[in-house]
Amino acid sequence: PYKVSYLDGIKACQTLKINKKLADKYTAWCSANPVDEGVWGRWPRYFPEMPFDAGMIAEAAEESNRAVIFIGRSSGEDRENALEKGSFYVTDEERTALHRICEQFDNVTILLNIGSVMDMGWLREFGSKIGVVMIVWQGGMESGNAVCDLLSGKVNPSGKLTATVARSYEDFPCSKDFGAK
């Protein structure tokens, strides 16, 4: 009957402070670039994100001491991952944004809004700049508030994953046979 977005959850949280200028730019970009949800079983595996140029990130770093980055993937019944960028792998745009953000911030948190595992090998590229990675799964209508409870320390992120995140796709025992005809 309702939903609390991550942005709305952060704005409502008493213990977190949002970069209002960046949030306003993001809100305007989202309004100007509505997503095509597709149809059942054929929705996009990911949606395009607002481009982050180096100047925008430098400006944000002047006002903020931590960067929180969301990476999302669509998944669900009849829509499994594919071994391609934007599904199991990060896109070139995501990787570029991560590099630009890590150049400006020493304290980066990654929140993965995903419904299945994805490749995590890209984390090795960023060393200690990325201090926290949380798989927030698909939190439902209260996901914005739930993520803020985790980010603020109100609750402990002590959930257990229902799947193993292997070092690479080839490390999954079924990788040689999955999807074979």
Side-chain angles (χ1 to χ4, degrees):
Y2 68 94
K3 63 182 174 180
V4 180
S5 72
Y6 298 123
L7 185 58
D8 290 338
I10 294 170
K11 285 179 179 178
C13 184
Q14 298 296 312
T15 56
L16 298 176
K17 184 179 175 194
I18 194 161
N19 183 316
K20 184 169 174 10
K21 190 182 297 184
L22 187 57
D24 289 346
K25 285 181 186 180
Y26 184 72
T27 299
W29 186 88
C30 289
S31 294
N33 298 276
V35 297
D36 178 1
E37 300 282 346
V39 297
W40 184 85
R42 300 288 176 249
W43 53 81
R45 289 190 166 91
Y46 75 102
F47 298 109
E49 276 294 339
M50 180 176 79
F52 290 97
D53 63 47
M56 182 188 308
I57 296 167
E59 185 179 317
E62 290 176 14
E63 295 181 29
S64 304
N65 63 359
R66 173 183 298 263
V68 178
I69 304 164
F70 288 85
I71 296 177
R73 294 293 183 266
S74 299
S75 61
E77 187 177 355
D78 200 38
R79 193 65 167 150
E80 300 297 329
N81 273 347
L83 291 176
E84 59 191 37
K85 294 175 182 179
S87 186
F88 188 71
Y89 299 106
V90 294
T91 65
D92 293 338
E93 293 82 8
E94 290 166 334
R95 182 173 259 113
T96 298
L98 287 166
H99 278 286
R100 286 179 177 165
I101 291 165
C102 285
E103 286 172 1
Q104 295 291 326
F105 287 89
D106 292 325
N107 197 347
V108 178
T109 296
I110 306 288
L111 300 176
L112 299 172
N113 183 20
I114 58 178
S116 60
V117 297
M118 67 182 286
D119 174 69
M120 302 294 277
W122 51 271
L123 286 169
R124 290 183 288 249
E125 296 175 32
F126 302 99
S128 63
K129 294 278 187 154
I130 297 176
V132 176
V133 177
M134 283 192 282
I135 298 177
V136 297
W137 226 241
Q138 296 169 323
M141 61 192 207
E142 282 285 335
S143 59
N145 291 328
V147 163
C148 287
D149 287 347
L150 294 169
L151 289 174
S152 68
K154 183 177 179 181
V155 297
N156 182 17
S158 60
K160 305 296 185 236
L161 295 177
T162 58
T164 298
V165 180
R167 186 170 292 245
S168 72
Y169 178 75
E170 293 73 27
D171 291 335
F172 288 108
C174 65
S175 66
K176 293 180 182 91
D177 302 312
F178 187 75
K181 296 185 188 235

